[in-house]
Amino acid sequence: MEQILKDFISALRSSGARISIPETIDAMNTVKLTGYHDREVFKDSLSAVLAKSFHEKEIFEECFYKFFSFDTFPENTGDCPESLAPEIMEEISPLSQMILSGNLGGLAASIREAAQEVHITGIRFFTQKGLYIHRILRHMGMDKLKLDVKHLFQQDTFYSKQMAEELEKGKDYLFENVKDFVEQQFALFSPSVTENLLEDYLKSIKLSNLEQRDFHRMHSIIQKMVKRLNDLHSRRRKTSKRGQLDFRKTLRNNISYQGLLFDIQWKKKKVDRPDIVAICDVSRSVETVARFLLLFLYSLNKSLARIRTFIFCSNLIEVTHIFDEYPVEEALVKLQSGIGLGILLGRTDYGQAFRDFEESRFHLITKKTTILILGDARNNYGDSQTGILKSMHERGKRLIWLNSEPRSFWGIGDSEMKKYLPYCHLARECNTVHHLERVVDSLLSLES
Amino acid sequence: MNLLHDKKFASIENVQQGLKNAEYICSKKIATTVYLAYHLEKPILVEGPAGVGKTELAKTAAAFLGVSLIRMQCYEGLDESKALYEWKYGKQLLYTQMLKDKLNDVLKGAKGLSASIDKLHQYNDIFFSRSFLEPRPLLKALQQKDGAVLLIDEIDKSDNEFEAFLLEILSDFQVSVPEIDTIRAETKPFVFLTSNNTRELSEALKRRCLHLFIPLPDPELEREIIRIRVPGISEKLRIQLVSFIQHLRELDLKKIPSISETIDWARVLLLLHADKLSADLISETLHIILKFEGDIKIAEEHLYEMTRKAIKEAAI
């Protein structure tokens, strides 16, 4: 039982539930207490010990049904020949005997046994399926079965031929069942590895090459990233600022000690959360990247209190409220189609965008503000309005430009990046999630 | 505690029946978790929507065990001195004033400052001893001789720091008071923690607890709950009422009515001497189950349809 429980826990782990060693020990104790005769009780008690959040409960349910499903062989191969010649039966291998006598439970058990022998729990990639099927079959005695079939055919009597055919059928059937079994085990034990591989891959791939179907996965990666960064930085700030005596509070608290100051109170300096103005280019030249940049801004918007978001193409509009009101997918579709927002999706015009910003929203920039611009700076040879960018640079705390093109392309063709460069505190190439993470990290740490 | 209550916790069925006798109808899942928590001596972390009876479970468990319930409501800014212990400053001060005269006797014969201090040192622990310790809920729970049920309510409302501070108590059932010593529980208390999931709790805390998620009840369980909690209500009304509430929960509401609201509503209907539901009756009393203006409006739109369905279902 212990082995089965261990396997089950590793199946849970690979599906994404985090289970520690003490919890495993608890699970063992639990099973000792409740036993495993009652399936419901068994499930409930393991669930209480192992799955510790609503999300994990869902994973648990799914895994439990997959893992503890009983795969008896469905009634199959027709009736085994009634006239089994006992003398032949004694000669053939145990596996063949089981097939001929229709011992389905025995077959299922022997598959499980063989699977444990060949360590099926180590299966990670779908390419390993064939290998494991082969190993299990060999372990069960497939070779002997084949030999039996050969011998029976050679004997050339009516009974032996009939049995040989029966065995052939049984062999195919067995193969199918082992295949199903391996599939099932693969589904149980592999997901996290595959998932991790995929995540790593997604993090380093260029944003413009990402496909729509990876969108959800990407969203969760970015959310994780934003949360981690947020946790990291908000915690650091809490402890770093203390040490000024709060005299009034100290006096008040110490009245009961006859004014003797022995319970001293410190003033804690309140630290500002980052105050960010983000301006994102959504024109066609950056369309594919923009989707993910917007996704990123969305996550940022959810975790930082003070962020104002603007998008532009031919003109500039504020979209903070869209992020606040709609769930992520709706919001992104709305922003990319631009319907009902008053944005003109014509030629990209950085000059116009900057003018719009200066006209109506310039007051947002204070000496605490970090300005974040996301775009490729390809201005279709229009007026670049570097003057406005310069005043933004002077007025704000920092100006960061994330460009989706590699550095060597800056300033080539209609790219105005070289002109904007002097007014950026930081200009980075940003086209993978790794880049994003690095930028945000520096953004937050310099903030505090 | 184990020796005292082993009989009550002999089997899961016993627990379920015992809780039922204390007027708490629970699913087998809840009973299993309580049973496990008792035998593994672990706290239970209870999560679920508001009003499904998380706090009630702890109260009932106390009644079932026949021990006292010690409740600690968590809130932002809750700290050690409010949760664990505090020195009785006033008493300390008063005693020093009163004993001022005695001081002369004590110091008699001591020459010079250092000799006096040495003499005083012989008495130094007097003012920081157990008699000057003001126990707060956590310490109180550890001090109970017969054991207790400790309810730490809405742990998600407290700060991260406080959560970390709880770890020592939850895993070892002991606390360290620097001036005295480590205080160990005489009998381990039965601990319930409840959370409304307003923030994610730390892994470390979760690891030390059993986790129980109480969902909204299915119709059968809810009917049973109403039968026990509101005994006077007629059979027909009870079935109609539960059926209506179940339909109501399917609507897109801001605050879905929970068990406590169903119970309240049943009591009100009983007071009004109703014996069956009707659309008018419902619209008059809707504000008891729904707590938002917007929700009431949404519900009113579907009122007739839902009433019809509820009555029809009850007739089957």
Side-chain angles (χ1 to χ4, degrees):
Chain A
M1 196 61 204
E2 232 166 69
Q3 184 57 41
I4 294 175
L5 207 56
K6 261 191 247 166
D7 283 349
F8 177 56
I9 286 169
S10 70
L12 274 176
R13 282 197 184 126
S14 67
S15 312
R18 283 204 276 180
I19 291 159
S20 64
I21 293 165
E23 281 166 326
T24 314
I25 298 172
D26 282 346
M28 302 273 179
N29 290 336
T30 309
V31 174
K32 262 185 223 150
L33 260 178
T34 57
Y36 36 88
H37 347 278
D38 188 334
R39 191 181 162 88
E40 251 344 272
V41 171
F42 181 60
K43 195 187 105 194
D44 287 343
S45 46
L46 280 186
S47 160
V49 182
L50 295 175
K52 305 271 170 98
S53 68
F54 188 62
H55 174 64
E56 284 187 354
K57 293 256 178 219
E58 277 176 357
I59 295 177
F60 179 87
E61 296 268 314
E62 199 179 310
C63 262
F64 188 88
Y65 285 117
K66 263 196 213 157
F67 192 88
F68 291 107
S69 62
F70 271 105
D71 38 8
T72 45
F73 283 67
E75 288 303 323
N76 77 306
T77 50
D79 308 306
C80 35
E82 283 163 29
S83 47
L84 284 174
E87 66 277 6
I88 299 180
M89 277 300 269
E90 276 168 24
E91 284 169 23
I92 58 179
S93 70
L95 181 63
S96 317
Q97 280 176 19
M98 273 197 274
I99 293 178
L100 284 182
S101 57
N103 183 358
L104 303 174
L107 281 177
S110 117
I111 290 184
R112 284 207 166 238
E113 213 172 278
Q116 234 172 42
E117 283 296 315
V118 303
H119 302 298
I120 187 85
T121 47
I123 192 166
R124 289 293 174 267
F125 308 107
F126 73 95
T127 44
Q128 291 174 315
K129 278 189 213 162
L131 179 74
Y132 275 101
I133 294 173
H134 191 74
R135 277 190 192 161
I136 290 176
L137 284 174
R138 204 171 54 199
H139 214 275
M140 289 174 74
M142 194 56 148
D143 299 338
K144 288 219 179 98
L145 177 72
K146 278 182 188 157
L147 267 181
D148 286 337
V149 174
K150 210 166 134 196
H151 282 308
L152 286 171
F153 268 123
Q154 277 168 356
Q155 282 182 9
D156 204 24
T157 63
F158 173 71
Y159 283 139
S160 67
K161 263 202 175 152
Q162 199 184 358
M163 282 168 82
E165 275 168 26
E166 207 58 49
L167 274 182
E168 271 296 312
K169 248 195 269 173
K171 199 179 82 187
D172 293 344
Y173 178 72
L174 189 64
F175 179 77
E176 282 301 313
N177 271 295
V178 172
K179 202 173 127 194
D180 285 351
F181 180 75
V182 172
E183 291 275 357
Q184 201 188 11
Q185 298 296 310
F186 173 69
L188 268 175
F189 290 105
S190 71
S192 76
V193 183
T194 329
E195 191 84 350
N196 285 348
L197 265 182
L198 204 62
E199 271 194 17
D200 281 345
Y201 167 72
L202 284 177
K203 275 185 193 168
S204 56
I205 197 175
K206 282 204 171 172
L207 293 173
S208 52
N209 296 343
L210 282 173
E211 306 208 14
Q212 189 73 40
R213 66 187 153 80
D214 289 325
F215 186 83
H216 276 286
R217 201 165 269 132
M218 203 64 189
H219 186 155
S220 75
I221 293 177
I222 289 186
Q223 261 178 339
K224 260 188 235 167
M225 179 182 106
V226 170
K227 183 168 185 299
R228 203 179 63 230
L229 290 169
N230 203 21
D231 284 354
L232 202 67
H233 292 289
S234 53
R235 200 164 296 164
R236 190 193 296 162
R237 261 178 261 137
K238 242 183 209 162
T239 50
S240 67
K241 297 277 167 83
R242 47 184 349 215
Q244 219 180 344
L245 182 70
D246 189 339
F247 195 66
R248 275 192 263 175
K249 205 169 171 192
T250 308
L251 273 188
R252 260 201 310 277
N253 276 16
N254 287 290
I255 289 173
S256 52
Y257 318 134
Q258 291 190 322
L260 282 174
L261 306 183
F262 73 82
D263 181 14
I264 291 164
Q265 301 290 318
W266 302 100
K267 233 185 231 173
K268 271 186 200 157
K269 200 169 173 189
K270 219 176 163 187
V271 186
D272 293 329
R273 292 233 147 208
D275 177 10
I276 293 178
V277 168
I279 301 174
C280 184
D281 180 3
V282 290
S283 64
R284 228 163 299 142
S285 58
V286 288
E287 196 177 18
T288 43
V289 189
R291 190 164 68 226
F292 292 100
L293 293 180
L294 287 173
L295 188 62
F296 167 69
L297 286 180
Y298 185 90
S299 306
L300 214 55
N301 197 47
K302 291 283 166 210
S303 62
L304 301 179
R306 287 198 297 174
I307 176 168
R308 302 287 288 260
T309 318
F310 301 86
I311 61 172
F312 71 93
C313 185
S314 299
N315 62 341
L316 177 126
I317 55 160
E318 174 158 11
V319 293
T320 316
H321 58 283
I322 307 260
F323 280 159
D324 290 341
E325 279 167 28
Y326 294 96
V328 58
E329 275 168 55
E330 251 175 84
L332 292 207
V333 168
K334 249 187 151 53
L335 294 189
Q336 293 224 298
S337 65
I339 297 165
L341 296 177
I343 186 169
L344 303 170
L345 290 172
R347 293 158 70 87
T348 325
D349 192 342
Y350 277 76
Q352 183 60 41
F354 287 149
R355 270 198 299 278
D356 286 350
F357 187 81
E358 188 191 24
E359 237 167 63
S360 56
R361 306 287 171 176
F362 211 61
H363 63 271
L364 290 179
I365 300 182
T366 64
K367 63 178 191 296
K368 284 185 198 157
T369 315
T370 301
I371 304 145
L372 187 65
I373 301 179
L374 310 156
D376 59 357
R378 297 215 169 263
N379 200 20
N380 299 313
Y381 301 106
D383 182 4
S384 58
Q385 292 287 358
T386 42
I388 299 178
L389 194 71
K390 181 168 177 251
S391 55
M392 280 157 82
H393 163 91
E394 280 160 2
R395 196 169 158 148
K397 184 177 176 193
R398 279 147 53 78
L399 198 155
I400 297 174
W401 194 302
L402 302 182
N403 197 321
S404 54
E405 290 179 343
R407 209 166 255 271
S408 50
F409 281 48
W410 294 2
I412 292 176
D414 60 348
S415 171
E416 305 280 1
M417 199 56 206
K418 281 268 157 73
K419 282 190 198 163
Y420 291 139
L421 211 48
Y423 308 114
C424 302
H425 292 92
L426 185 75
R428 283 273 174 85
E429 170 192 346
C430 175
N431 45 30
T432 69
V433 176
H434 276 308
H435 284 158
L436 264 186
E437 189 168 1
R438 222 172 298 151
V439 168
V440 177
D441 198 25
S442 64
L443 185 86
L444 287 173
S445 55
L446 276 167
E447 199 70 36
S448 56
Chain B
M1 179 140 118
N2 269 354
L3 296 170
L4 289 171
H5 304 293
D6 267 353
K7 219 176 200 174
K8 287 178 184 168
F9 281 92
S11 73
I12 296 171
E13 285 73 24
N14 276 11
V15 176
Q16 197 170 11
Q17 190 56 44
L19 292 177
K20 191 177 172 180
N21 291 343
E23 297 205 338
Y24 187 86
I25 309 298
C26 65
S27 60
K28 194 152 187 188
K29 194 166 157 188
I30 297 175
T32 308
T33 314
V34 173
Y35 170 81
L36 281 176
Y38 174 78
H39 286 284
L40 296 176
E41 300 189 333
K42 290 206 147 220
I44 305 182
L45 171 63
V46 194
E47 287 189 303
V52 288
K54 298 188 290 288
T55 311
E56 202 60 35
L57 176 62
K59 284 188 196 162
T60 318
F64 172 50
L65 286 168
V67 296
S68 54
L69 175 83
I70 295 171
R71 179 172 175 166
M72 191 174 70
Q73 177 70 41
C74 291
Y75 51 87
E76 227 176 294
L78 178 68
D79 59 5
E80 268 177 69
S81 65
K82 292 202 184 83
L84 188 57
Y85 70 90
E86 205 169 13
W87 292 107
K88 294 175 180 169
Y89 296 119
K91 194 173 165 189
Q92 284 173 338
L93 217 59
L94 203 68
Y95 276 46
T96 41
Q97 292 292 337
M98 285 185 344
L99 296 176
K100 229 176 192 169
D101 305 336
K102 292 274 175 234
L103 218 56
N104 289 332
D105 304 344
V106 171
L107 295 179
K108 208 177 268 172
K111 283 186 180 141
L113 213 57
S114 60
S116 311
I117 295 267
D118 281 345
K119 273 217 152 166
L120 268 182
H121 269 298
Q122 297 166 6
Y123 302 92
N124 63 347
D125 282 343
I126 292 177
F127 286 107
F128 286 97
S129 61
R130 285 183 192 237
S131 50
F132 289 98
L133 202 63
E134 172 90 71
R136 300 284 185 194
L138 291 179
L139 189 60
K140 223 187 252 170
L142 294 183
Q143 286 175 334
Q144 300 292 321
K145 284 221 167 51
D146 312 326
V149 170
L150 172 62
L151 168 63
I152 301 175
D153 219 358
E154 307 193 346
I155 174 79
D156 51 335
K157 294 233 171 74
S158 69
D159 310 318
N160 284 330
E161 291 81 2
F162 182 72
E163 209 181 298
F165 158 76
L166 271 181
L167 296 179
E168 186 190 0
I169 294 172
L170 294 185
S171 56
D172 302 334
F173 293 102
Q174 64 174 41
V175 291
S176 326
V177 180
E179 292 89 344
I180 303 177
D181 206 355
T182 307
I183 299 179
R184 240 172 269 283
E186 296 183 24
T187 337
K188 288 185 180 175
F190 202 131
V191 184
F192 287 87
L193 298 112
T194 73
S195 155
N196 282 329
N197 233 341
T198 53
R199 74 177 167 86
E200 191 75 7
L201 299 174
S202 74
E203 287 287 322
L205 182 75
K206 282 184 178 175
R207 205 165 51 230
R208 283 166 175 80
C209 302
L210 299 181
H211 185 270
L212 174 67
F213 184 84
I214 305 184
L216 287 167
D218 53 21
E220 204 179 318
L221 192 64
E222 194 164 21
R223 279 200 288 273
E224 189 62 20
I225 294 170
I226 298 291
R227 194 173 67 82
I228 298 287
R229 300 300 292 269
V230 193
I233 199 161
S234 77
E235 172 88 18
K236 194 171 160 196
L237 178 61
R238 187 159 59 87
I239 296 171
Q240 285 177 349
L241 174 129
V242 170
S243 167
F244 182 81
I245 290 273
Q246 294 276 340
H247 282 298
L248 201 60
R249 287 194 187 128
E250 286 163 17
L251 294 181
D252 181 23
L253 300 177
K254 199 167 166 189
K255 163 83 178 76
I256 292 172
S258 60
I259 305 176
S260 53
E261 269 114 11
T262 316
I263 294 174
D264 285 347
W265 195 37
R267 288 202 177 121
V268 168
L269 292 182
L270 191 66
L271 275 179
L272 294 173
H273 300 296
D275 59 350
K276 64 178 192 317
L277 279 188
S278 68
D280 291 338
L281 184 65
I282 293 174
S283 77
E284 276 166 24
T285 53
L286 206 54
H287 59 275
I288 294 159
I289 28 178
L290 297 175
K291 306 289 165 72
F292 287 98
E293 190 59 38
D295 284 357
I296 292 178
K297 265 194 191 128
I298 295 172
E300 269 170 352
E301 281 171 29
H302 302 273
L303 193 63
Y304 283 93
E305 192 188 336
M306 283 196 306
T307 317
R308 199 169 44 79
K309 267 193 209 160
I311 291 171
K312 205 166 124 194
E313 270 168 34
I316 297 168

